[in-house]
Amino acid sequence: MASEKPQDLMVTCTAPVNIAVIKYWGKRDEALILPINSSLSVTLHQDQLKTTTTVAISKDFTEDRIWLNGREEDVGQPRLQACLRETRRSWELRAQTPESQLCLLGNLVSHKVGRTLQAELCSTLTLAPASVSPAVPSAYALAQAYGVEGDLSEVARQGSGSACRSLYGGFVEWQMGEQADGKDSIARQIAPEWHWPQLRVLILVVSADKKQTGSTVGMQTSVKTSALLKFRAESVVPERMKEMTRCIQEQDFQGFAQLTMKDSNQFHATCLDTFPPISYLNDTSRRIIQLVHRFNTHHGQTKVAYTFDAGPNAVIFTLEDTVAEFVAAVRHSFPPAANGDKFLKGLQVAPVLLSDELKAALAVEPSPGGVQYIIATQVGPGPQVLDNTHDHLLGPDGLPPRDL
Ligand code: 2P0
């Protein structure tokens, strides 16, 4: 974990993307990032999507610096500052004596004891069409570097609310908590990544454009103006959290899929109920919704579910035995424009022919190029520490290589 130079420390971590099946939308405390309702998500496998962060700590650094995808960013961003502040506070709390500080930081030189150690962070995002935050790998890597143990929800949450659910693999809930200081607003795994091995995830990339209304501002307006959001948070979500947990624990796909779609639809209904309204779905998103319902109707059961976040891309949940047929249905409805061979990324999916009955049931006017590409993936583990020093994104001088 630590680099070769005894006075320095360098840690590289990766963290996964998570997709909410019970959505978080709205804060009761903007500064601490505390939500108005609990939420529940599925952690995606890092073989297909991940963020990587290297943290370096050295006695030679005179200031904090951060690079994102090779470009230096403003280290004064409030959320990054919150992450750094929380990590250092935890470190200082756990290290009251010089001896324990030395113990926590291994070989870090003694004359730094009692002073705040400067950190450098470098993040890179791999294949990230969804909203991906470097908050979790940053929080995780910082915690590893500073030797902070225990729950990191508080640190990760302050980088980005939904990011705290990426602290664990498998199926994760973010409990809204009740305390004003947010100490009980934490992420918790409800089932590990190997719990439901047949579950598959398809990300249908509709548009990689930047979203029109950012989540942070969007949810502020919704909290102020949407009566439906208030009703949802108080009267709908508590029951749905229990029901979704049951569906996952019992591997009840029909229940899981229907509730996932209903919760996505209600989240987008609260966006439309916001004033002025927010609209994240586009025509292609609505065609995907229609495709899923027609596919399920044809089969006489719920075999596929969609969910949409603060953008037009669809995330599809299905089971292993349905992936190939549904991918063929997407190809049929959205014929790839020019990149037929690059249409499918990630897990291998065998090509299959659609039956004439299914084609007739889908009854679609093909929309060429509507879906740019698909990423096929599955449920995966939580953040990982990379042991190989070749994985570091910062060189021995603490700077990112020029070609990053
Ligand atoms: C979610 N989303 O549960 C919901 C569904 C988008 C739609 O959490 O302000 O980027 O950093 O707490 O976490 C996006 O919101 O917002 C989000 P902040 P965040 O995944």
Side-chain angles (χ1 to χ4, degrees):
M1 186 196 308
S3 74
E4 316 75 29
K5 288 169 72 183
Q7 76 274 29
D8 296 342
L9 210 69
M10 198 176 282
V11 178
T12 297
C13 292
T14 64
V17 171
N18 73 72
I19 300 295
V21 288
I22 301 292
K23 306 291 188 190
Y24 147 58
W25 197 252
K27 300 181 186 68
R28 65 177 194 280
D29 186 315
E30 291 284 333
L32 295 174
I33 310 204
L34 301 177
I36 58 168
N37 62 258
S38 298
S39 55
L40 204 155
S41 62
V42 178
T43 299
L44 304 189
H45 205 290
Q46 294 173 59
D47 280 354
Q48 282 75 43
L49 291 160
K50 69 179 174 212
T51 54
T52 307
T53 296
T54 296
V55 169
I57 299 178
S58 168
K59 70 178 176 60
D60 299 329
F61 299 158
T62 53
E63 57 181 352
D64 295 325
R65 296 175 76 180
I66 181 168
W67 291 263
L68 200 57
N69 289 333
R71 253 192 44 200
E72 185 151 17
E73 302 280 332
D74 175 16
V75 79
Q77 299 164 50
R79 288 184 175 197
L80 175 64
Q81 283 299 316
C83 269
L84 285 164
R85 193 177 55 242
E86 287 301 322
T87 308
R88 286 178 175 136
R89 198 164 61 199
S90 305
W91 171 65
E92 280 160 10
L93 279 177
R94 284 172 171 78
Q96 298 295 346
T97 64
E99 290 75 24
S100 59
Q101 290 194 351
L102 270 180
C103 175
L104 284 171
L105 289 169
N107 289 326
L108 215 63
V109 287
S110 57
H111 71 258
K112 292 299 287 189
V113 169
R115 287 175 50 194
T116 303
L117 290 152
Q118 304 299 326
E120 303 211 342
L121 292 108
C122 187
S123 266
T124 184
L125 314 180
T126 307
L127 257 179
S131 59
V132 182
S133 161
V136 165
S138 303
Y140 203 77
L142 274 170
Q144 296 285 332
Y146 277 91
V148 170
E149 291 167 356
D151 186 70
L152 292 175
S153 297
E154 199 171 353
V155 182
R157 201 184 66 220
Q158 301 207 23
S160 168
S162 56
C164 74
R165 297 185 310 237
S166 284
L167 284 169
Y168 301 99
F171 303 82
V172 182
E173 69 173 345
W174 174 16
Q175 298 168 342
M176 63 176 287
E178 288 171 0
Q179 290 173 213
D181 63 3
K183 295 285 179 219
D184 57 350
S185 185
I186 53 170
R188 188 184 76 98
Q189 186 183 64
I190 60 166
E193 58 269 27
W194 56 83
H195 167 69
W196 199 348
Q198 300 83 8
L199 196 65
R200 291 290 179 277
V201 184
L202 299 169
I203 302 172
L204 274 47
V205 179
V206 170
S207 161
D209 293 348
K210 214 173 173 316
K211 45 185 136 162
Q212 287 179 339
T213 310
S215 303
T216 307
V217 173
M219 64 177 85
Q220 277 168 357
T221 317
S222 297
V223 168
K224 276 191 211 133
T225 62
S226 170
L228 178 57
L229 181 64
K230 188 170 156 49
F231 173 73
R232 164 181 163 74
E234 289 171 2
S235 306
V236 180
V237 172
E239 276 308 306
R240 285 191 173 177
M241 288 293 293
K242 286 188 209 148
E243 176 60 7
M244 188 60 91
T245 304
R246 183 200 65 75
C247 291
I248 291 166
Q249 280 167 350
E250 295 176 10
Q251 299 184 9
D252 169 2
F253 185 78
Q254 301 264 332
F256 169 83
Q258 287 173 20
L259 193 49
T260 294
M261 292 188 278
K262 285 179 183 172
D263 204 71
S264 172
N265 292 342
Q266 189 174 78
F267 155 54
H268 290 280
T270 67
C271 289
L272 274 189
D273 190 47
T274 299
F275 196 79
I278 304 167
S279 184
Y280 288 122
L281 306 181
N282 66 16
D283 283 350
T284 303
S285 316
R286 284 183 281 274
R287 284 198 186 100
I288 293 168
I289 290 173
Q290 195 176 50
L291 172 72
V292 168
H293 285 292
R294 286 182 178 168
F295 187 93
N296 288 337
T297 303
H298 169 76
H299 284 289
Q301 57 176 304
T302 306
K303 297 192 83 165
V304 179
Y306 53 77
T307 186
F308 295 84
D309 289 318
N313 297 335
V315 176
I316 300 290
F317 289 99
T318 189
L319 296 176
E320 193 180 10
D321 62 4
T322 309
V323 171
E325 189 180 40
F326 188 73
V327 166
V330 174
R331 264 184 196 275
H332 173 72
S333 307
F334 305 97
N339 63 341
D341 54 329
K342 299 201 180 78
F343 190 60
L344 190 68
K345 302 172 196 277
L347 297 178
Q348 293 268 323
V349 180
V352 294
L353 286 177
L354 288 187
S355 68
D356 289 339
E357 292 79 16
L358 179 52
K359 277 187 199 164
L362 296 179
V364 288
E365 191 64 42
S367 312
V371 172
Q372 292 176 12
Y373 58 95
I374 301 175
I375 302 169
T377 184
Q378 56 193 334
V379 185
Q384 313 277 313
V385 177
L386 304 183
D387 286 327
N388 195 328
T389 52
H390 291 114
D391 293 320
H392 292 327
L393 303 174
L394 293 167
D397 56 356
L399 297 172
R402 283 179 187 282
D403 59 350
L404 186 77

